[in-house]
Amino acid sequence: MAKKVLIKDIATVVGVSTALVSYVMNGREKEKRVGKEVVEKIRKAAKDLNYQPNQIARSLRTGSTNTIGLVVADISNPFFSHLARIIEDEANKYQYAVIIGSSDERNQKSQALVETLLNRQVDGLILVPSEGDDVLVKSLIDRDIPLVLIDRNFENISCNFVMLNNYKATFDATMSLIDNGYRKITMVAYRSSLEHMKSRINGYLSAMGSVGYTVSVKLVEPHVSELLHPMDEIILNSDTEAVLFATNTLSIAGLYAVSRNHLKVPEQLAIVGFDKSEVYDFFVPPVTYIEQPLAEMGQKAVQNLMECINGNNGLMQNSLDSQFVERLSNKKLL
Amino acid sequence: MAKKVLIKDIATVVGVSTALVSYVMNGREKEKRVGKEVVEKIRKAAKDLNYQPNQIARSLRTGSTNTIGLVVADISNPFFSHLARIIEDEANKYQYAVIIGSSDERNQKSQALVETLLNRQVDGLILVPSEGDDVLVKSLIDRDIPLVLIDRNFENISCNFVMLNNYKATFDATMSLIDNGYRKITMVAYRSSLEHMKSRINGYLSAMGSVGYTVSVKLVEPHVSELLHPMDEIILNSDTEAVLFATNTLSIAGLYAVSRNHLKVPEQLAIVGFDKSEVYDFFVPPVTYIEQPLAEMGQKAVQNLMECINGNNGLMQNSLDSQFVERLSNKKLL
DNA sequence: CTGAAAGCGCTTACAG
DNA sequence: CTGAAAGCGCTTACAG
């Protein structure tokens, strides 16, 4: 292994102290009034020797690693992988790297991941909390750790977050189904105490309530890899004219069930999906869906986290509006 | 911010030196023959004070960070996000964290990412190289940096890799189209000097050559966000009976074109896709595809990297076989 | 069995 | 304008 070039090597070559080299490497030569020729010599030597600063040593000294930790439910889920990509790009703009972990919606795992990340001295965290992570989030706030929740929050914890206006999203979607003449509308959601899920359900309930229709919420257990049976039951319920799904995974599982059971959409069953998916484009007919503003969410989360890392203690909470992308799966044919 | 508990604090509380605390925290109490009661006291104090070791300090001293860098083309591409998830899980088994970066198939970006990762002192790298990254890879090998290429390699560089047996994958797929009675088979690939792409094309060429059919390879420019026009042209070519795609992005772009132009599959055009995708399940008819053994690839890559990090200098090259998942899009109807 | 001390590679008051 | 030296929080020969 080629010997690592140290700041000391440059100092020796140029014939100055390591302090000056450090100043120049960090662009503080003006502030520290380092002599012009010295600056040039140091720059040249650094380049010639291909000096690469050891960030670990720097981090230990400065107390900041220029690294953020990102905990999502599952990086292989397209919703989270797209979000991760946006967060990566935005963080890079601030010279930050991203360490990613998947919690699998298990609070034990997210807790363990967060501890690992903190031991690695990440400067801040962007967290998609799992059920039961309120304890973790409280403890992070108590410890003054820069934190932004994304996609989800806890109603009774005052914490930075960036998330969808979930209530409005499903309220509007339900209303569109109602406007299109559907009465027997079922909402399919995960059984969860998490706010975002409850808000999505509440949006549906309010819309149904506003016109006095009977509500029907079907709750699917999370962590069940086999969604086939419950989904078939839900889809085949003769008392359902339209289904609104609460997440992308549920939507796609639902579409598999519809397809498996050869139901005609929207004649036999109208459908509104959640999140964007290529599957919605290929389904016959194209599926109407609730699209989240991923780019804005990811960018805002990073920006808020940076504020937080830089000492802004104000509460930053952003609720973003979804876009209702209307196609043919929710339209009663005349 | 609650004051961080240091190893020194525990030493003070228990009334021993920091050395003993360090030994116990690292499970070396047997080896170092630390007194039993002392061990207990240290353990208790560590727990009571909720001691969390500062990995940065540890890393600076030991020279290893227990972190690996993963550079993929784009983490939001399902192929890479699935791979990333597997790599994450496998790395965690070895107590390693993963820092991820997306290169966008640009060697400038992958170079910059790799430097950033090395400055952060990652113990090793798993890299999906871009065109032109042979220079980078050579330099990494020269610098003795633990490295495993994944998904792609360079023929003239002797480097660890884990990848698909690409030649066999497309040879077999092409043969299946030939066996099903197709003669005018087109392969759609990216214009690239990368081995994996050339092998995929060569597999096709060999199969076609073996039966003496005229070949037709359509090369699409990478980095072109707008695949619409070239894909429409390719798909609508009246001289094409069947199309074999070289990647998942090409496959899906192709399916959009097929769908946009209302071609009947496989009557008007037979199709074989690359990689797995939910889109293939919903397309009518279900699309036949070449599936890569993602789990094995990711696990093997991490295992090989660990060997490498632990000083195994032997060359580790794994070519894995794909699975041909046959459905209806490649079968001539009788 | 245990402690004092050096050192990982930086940054940064401090002194001149 | 520049240098000597302390210190970030660990680990680890070394000495006893």
Side-chain angles (χ1 to χ4, degrees):
Chain A
M1 170 123 61
K3 193 159 175 312
K4 258 289 187 188
V5 177
L6 308 180
I7 209 169
K8 204 178 158 190
D9 299 325
I10 300 182
T12 308
V13 167
V14 181
V16 293
S17 72
T18 58
L20 289 203
V21 180
S22 172
Y23 295 145
V24 174
M25 296 322 293
N26 291 300
R28 300 177 61 193
E29 66 272 9
K30 285 267 147 66
E31 174 194 345
K32 292 290 177 178
R33 299 180 223 204
V34 182
K36 265 195 183 172
E37 315 95 76
V38 176
V39 171
E40 283 317 312
K41 276 197 210 162
I42 290 173
R43 287 234 180 84
K44 184 168 181 327
K47 195 161 188 180
D48 289 349
L49 298 174
N50 187 27
Y51 171 67
Q52 299 290 347
N54 180 327
Q55 284 295 341
I56 295 292
R58 187 168 206 281
S59 296
L60 181 58
R61 177 59 222 244
T62 62
S64 85
T65 53
N66 272 39
T67 305
I68 64 178
L70 171 62
V71 175
V72 297
D74 179 6
I75 188 66
S76 71
N77 175 324
F79 172 72
F80 295 116
S81 70
H82 278 97
L83 206 49
R85 179 59 207 270
I86 292 157
I87 288 172
E88 179 198 332
D89 287 350
E90 189 70 15
N92 286 168
K93 288 187 196 161
Y94 296 88
Q95 317 272 28
Y96 271 69
V98 182
I99 306 184
I100 299 186
S102 301
S103 69
D104 284 323
E105 306 277 4
R106 307 266 181 199
N107 61 58
Q108 287 204 343
K109 231 187 143 188
S110 52
Q111 244 169 80
L113 280 169
V114 165
E115 286 312 327
T116 306
L117 291 168
L118 291 178
N119 291 351
R120 285 188 156 70
Q121 312 297 119
V122 294
D123 294 338
L125 290 167
I126 296 179
L127 173 64
V128 176
S130 301
E131 224 176 336
D133 268 346
D134 40 349
V135 182
L136 173 62
V137 169
K138 268 184 206 146
S139 119
L140 291 172
I141 293 172
D142 281 350
R143 290 193 268 167
D144 265 337
I145 293 174
L147 171 68
V148 174
L149 302 182
I150 191 165
D151 185 45
R152 312 171 183 179
N153 74 331
F154 296 99
E155 216 172 23
N156 52 350
I157 300 180
S158 155
C159 181
N160 302 322
F161 65 72
V162 179
M163 57 187 298
L164 194 69
N165 186 336
N166 287 294
Y167 176 90
K168 184 172 185 310
T170 51
F171 182 92
D172 291 351
T174 308
M175 272 314 199
S176 93
L177 283 167
I178 291 170
D179 289 345
N180 285 348
Y182 296 99
R183 293 184 72 101
K184 296 173 175 174
I185 306 168
T186 292
M187 165 125 202
V188 180
Y190 280 115
R191 183 185 304 286
S192 168
S193 63
L194 288 165
E195 290 305 318
H196 75 301
M197 200 49 67
K198 292 205 273 186
S199 299
R200 289 177 192 180
I201 295 170
N202 285 336
Y204 158 84
L205 293 176
S206 289
M208 294 295 275
S210 74
V211 290
Y213 291 175
T214 308
V215 302
S216 155
V217 176
K218 300 289 183 186
L219 296 178
V220 173
E221 298 299 326
H223 301 308
V224 176
S225 59
E226 192 55 88
L227 282 177
L228 287 182
H229 295 300
M231 214 41 106
D232 279 342
E233 262 177 47
I234 291 166
I235 294 299
L236 292 172
N237 186 327
S238 60
D239 224 35
T240 299
E241 299 170 348
V243 181
L244 169 62
F245 293 100
T247 74
N248 63 340
T249 47
L250 288 173
S251 304
I252 291 172
L255 291 177
Y256 272 108
V258 167
S259 166
R260 201 161 47 233
N261 293 292
H262 307 98
L263 293 185
K264 287 238 180 245
V265 175
E267 295 86 334
Q268 293 175 280
L269 192 69
I271 283 177
V272 174
F274 213 102
D275 290 331
K276 194 179 170 69
S277 167
E278 283 165 339
V279 165
Y280 301 162
D281 297 340
F282 284 97
F283 196 82
V284 182
V287 176
T288 293
Y289 60 94
I290 294 167
E291 182 176 7
Q292 302 201 47
L294 281 187
E296 205 184 338
M297 280 175 87
Q299 286 165 2
K300 204 77 195 144
V302 173
Q303 287 159 12
N304 289 355
L305 186 62
M306 290 301 140
E307 290 265 326
C308 212
I309 287 173
N310 293 325
N312 181 340
N313 288 313
L315 202 55
M316 291 169 280
Q317 303 190 326
N318 298 86
S319 282
L320 309 177
D321 282 339
S322 56
Q323 204 187 327
F324 191 61
V325 181
E326 199 149 16
R327 312 221 278 195
L328 301 173
S329 68
N330 66 326
K331 298 202 174 136
K332 215 165 210 168
L333 304 180
L334 300 184
Chain B
M1 173 121 61
K3 193 159 174 317
K4 258 288 188 187
V5 178
L6 308 179
I7 210 169
K8 204 178 159 189
D9 299 325
I10 300 182
T12 308
V13 167
V14 180
V16 293
S17 72
T18 58
L20 289 202
V21 180
S22 173
Y23 294 146
V24 174
M25 294 323 292
N26 291 301
R28 300 177 61 192
E29 66 273 8
K30 284 266 148 65
E31 174 195 341
K32 292 291 176 177
R33 300 181 223 203
V34 183
K36 266 196 183 170
E37 316 96 74
V38 177
V39 172
E40 284 316 312
K41 275 197 209 161
I42 290 173
R43 288 234 179 85
K44 185 170 181 323
K47 195 160 190 183
D48 290 349
L49 298 175
N50 186 30
Y51 171 67
Q52 298 289 347
N54 180 327
Q55 285 295 341
I56 295 293
R58 188 169 203 281
S59 296
L60 180 60
R61 178 58 222 245
T62 62
S64 85
T65 52
N66 272 40
T67 305
I68 64 178
L70 170 63
V71 175
V72 297
D74 179 6
I75 188 63
S76 72
N77 175 322
F79 172 71
F80 295 116
S81 70
H82 278 98
L83 205 51
R85 178 58 206 270
I86 291 157
I87 288 172
E88 178 197 332
D89 287 350
E90 190 69 15
N92 287 345
K93 287 187 195 160
Y94 295 87
Q95 317 271 30
Y96 271 69
V98 182
I99 305 185
I100 299 186
S102 301
S103 70
D104 282 323
E105 305 277 5
R106 308 266 181 199
N107 61 57
Q108 287 205 344
K109 228 185 144 188
S110 54
Q111 244 170 78
L113 280 169
V114 164
E115 287 312 327
T116 306
L117 292 167
L118 291 178
N119 291 351
R120 285 191 156 68
Q121 312 296 119
V122 295
D123 294 340
L125 290 167
I126 296 179
L127 174 64
V128 177
S130 302
E131 226 177 333
D133 268 347
D134 41 348
V135 181
L136 173 62
V137 169
K138 267 184 206 147
S139 119
L140 291 171
I141 293 172
D142 281 350
R143 292 193 266 167
D144 264 339
I145 292 173
L147 171 68
V148 175
L149 302 182
I150 191 164
D151 184 45
R152 312 170 182 180
N153 75 331
F154 296 99
E155 215 172 24
N156 52 351
I157 301 179
S158 155
C159 180
N160 301 323
F161 66 72
V162 179
M163 55 187 299
L164 194 69
N165 186 334
N166 287 293
Y167 177 91
K168 185 173 186 305
T170 51
F171 182 92
D172 291 351
T174 307
M175 273 311 197
S176 92
L177 283 166
I178 292 170
D179 289 346
N180 285 347
Y182 296 99
R183 292 184 74 100
K184 297 174 175 172
I185 306 169
T186 292
M187 166 124 201
V188 180
Y190 281 115
R191 183 185 305 284
S192 168
S193 64
L194 288 166
E195 289 305 317
H196 75 299
M197 199 51 66
K198 293 205 272 188
S199 298
R200 288 177 194 180
I201 295 170
N202 284 337
Y204 158 83
L205 293 176
S206 290
M208 294 294 276
S210 74
V211 289
Y213 291 175
T214 308
V215 303
S216 155
V217 176
K218 301 289 183 185
L219 296 179
V220 173
E221 298 299 326
H223 300 308
V224 177
S225 59
E226 192 55 85
L227 282 177
L228 288 182
H229 294 301
M231 214 39 108
D232 279 342
E233 262 177 47
I234 293 166
I235 293 302
L236 292 173
N237 187 326
S238 60
D239 224 37
T240 300
E241 297 171 349
V243 180
L244 169 61
F245 293 99
T247 74
N248 63 341
T249 46
L250 289 173
S251 304
I252 291 171
L255 291 177
Y256 272 108
V258 167
S259 167
R260 200 162 47 233
N261 293 291
H262 306 99
L263 294 184
K264 286 240 179 242
V265 175
E267 295 87 334
Q268 295 175 278
L269 192 70
I271 283 177
V272 174
F274 213 101
D275 292 331
K276 195 179 169 70
S277 167
E278 283 165 339
V279 165
Y280 302 161
D281 297 339
F282 284 97
F283 196 82
V284 183
V287 176
T288 293
Y289 60 95
I290 293 167
E291 182 176 6
Q292 302 201 47
L294 282 187
E296 206 184 338
M297 280 175 87
Q299 286 165 3
K300 204 78 194 143
V302 173
Q303 286 159 14
N304 289 355
L305 186 63
M306 290 300 140
E307 290 266 325
C308 213
I309 288 172
N310 294 324
N312 182 340
N313 289 313
L315 203 53
M316 290 169 280
Q317 304 189 326
N318 298 86
S319 283
L320 309 178
D321 281 339
S322 55
Q323 203 188 327
F324 191 62
V325 182
E326 199 149 18
R327 312 222 277 197
L328 301 173
S329 68
N330 66 325
K331 298 203 173 134
K332 216 163 210 169
L333 304 179
L334 301 183

